[in-house]
Amino acid sequence: MGGTWSVIPENFDLLWNGLLLTLQLSASALLVSIPVGILLGLCRVSGNRIVSFLAVSYVEFIRGVPLLVLLLWIFFVLGKFLKLGPFWSGVVGLGLFSAAFIAEIVRAGIQAVPRGQMEAARSSGMSYVQAMRFIILPQAFRKVLPPMASQFITLIKDSSLVSVISVVDLTLVAKNLVATSFRALEVWTFVAIMYFCITFFLSQLIALLERRYRVSE
């Protein structure tokens, strides 16, 4: 048994580097998806029909395209035009894909805040932007925290697809190890445990933040 599992300690450095790249890729994609998603979410609830229509069109189109297809298109088409490498093609693809889902989360959070809050803010002399910034968004943030956390966890799991565009993440490292060692059971079991540890840690961290917000309320 020890001999079959020796592939893990023998190649732990490769797996660890793959894990670090996965985390770096996911964090970079998150930095892209959060501002884009929040902007799209605000556009979704905008009173301007053109702005709202454009935001809805983007969200519906991206959600209707498989992530794998989007990654391949960005890598082979947009990536070649903008001279993006595999890593940044993965960041852009994951970021834009996740932004569509974050936009819907933000929209739902804003619409969950009672309309009277906006009316009260506007009647007190605040502009629309001020009311959104100081009154609506802080309340919406508390409501969207759990689904946003779930989306980030989903983003980490979805990042495994970047292996198809030659990003040497945890999944691609595992594929290469299986091809050379023929230890599919051991390698994929260990990789599954690594992904689980990351997502479980994040879920516990978000649960802690939720409890703190409940206390502050």
Side-chain angles (χ1 to χ4, degrees), residues 80-133:
K80 299 300 181 184
F81 180 73
L82 298 178
K83 297 182 179 180
L84 299 174
F87 179 84
W88 288 110
S89 294
V91 169
V92 171
L94 287 171
L96 294 180
F97 187 80
S98 183
F101 293 88
I102 290 178
E104 287 300 283
I105 293 172
V106 171
R107 176 195 61 78
I110 292 174
Q111 293 181 339
V113 177
R115 290 177 177 267
Q117 296 286 328
M118 174 62 78
E119 295 172 358
R122 295 302 301 275
S123 64
S124 66
M126 287 187 177
S127 66
Y128 178 82
V129 174
Q130 290 175 326
M132 288 295 294
R133 178 181 177 184

Side-chain angles (χ1 to χ4, degrees), residues 105 140-150 206 209-210 213:
I105 293 172
F141 177 76
R142 294 186 176 92
K143 299 178 183 296
V144 304
L145 186 59
M148 285 279 279
S150 298
I206 295 302
L209 291 176
E210 287 185 64
Y213 270 114

Side-chain angles (χ1 to χ4, degrees), residues 37-82:
I38 291 176
L39 179 61
L40 287 169
L42 292 173
C43 290
R44 288 278 279 111
V45 299
S46 171
N48 188 312
R49 292 187 177 182
I50 296 177
V51 172
S52 179
F53 172 76
L54 291 175
V56 171
S57 299
Y58 174 88
V59 170
E60 293 302 323
F61 175 77
I62 293 296
R63 292 173 67 185
V65 175
L67 176 56
L68 180 59
V69 174
L70 182 63
L71 287 171
L72 290 172
W73 185 86
I74 289 176
F75 179 65
F76 287 109
V77 182
L78 187 62
K80 299 300 181 184
F81 180 73
L82 298 178

Side-chain angles (χ1 to χ4, degrees), residues 14-28 86-87 91 94 159 162 166-173 195:
L14 289 175
L15 292 166
W16 179 253
N17 290 334
L19 175 62
L20 292 180
L21 188 62
T22 292
L23 294 175
Q24 182 182 355
L25 179 78
S26 301
S28 299
F87 179 84
V91 169
L94 287 171
S159 70
V162 300
S166 303
V167 179
V168 191
D169 69 327
L170 182 58
T171 300
L172 185 57
V173 170
Y195 274 112

Side-chain angles (χ1 to χ4, degrees), residues 198-217:
I198 297 170
T199 56
F200 181 76
F201 171 77
L202 286 174
S203 64
Q204 295 303 305
L205 179 61
I206 295 302
L208 176 61
L209 291 176
E210 287 185 64
R211 288 194 293 270
R212 288 190 176 182
Y213 270 114
R214 291 197 199 101
V215 171
S216 64
E217 290 176 356

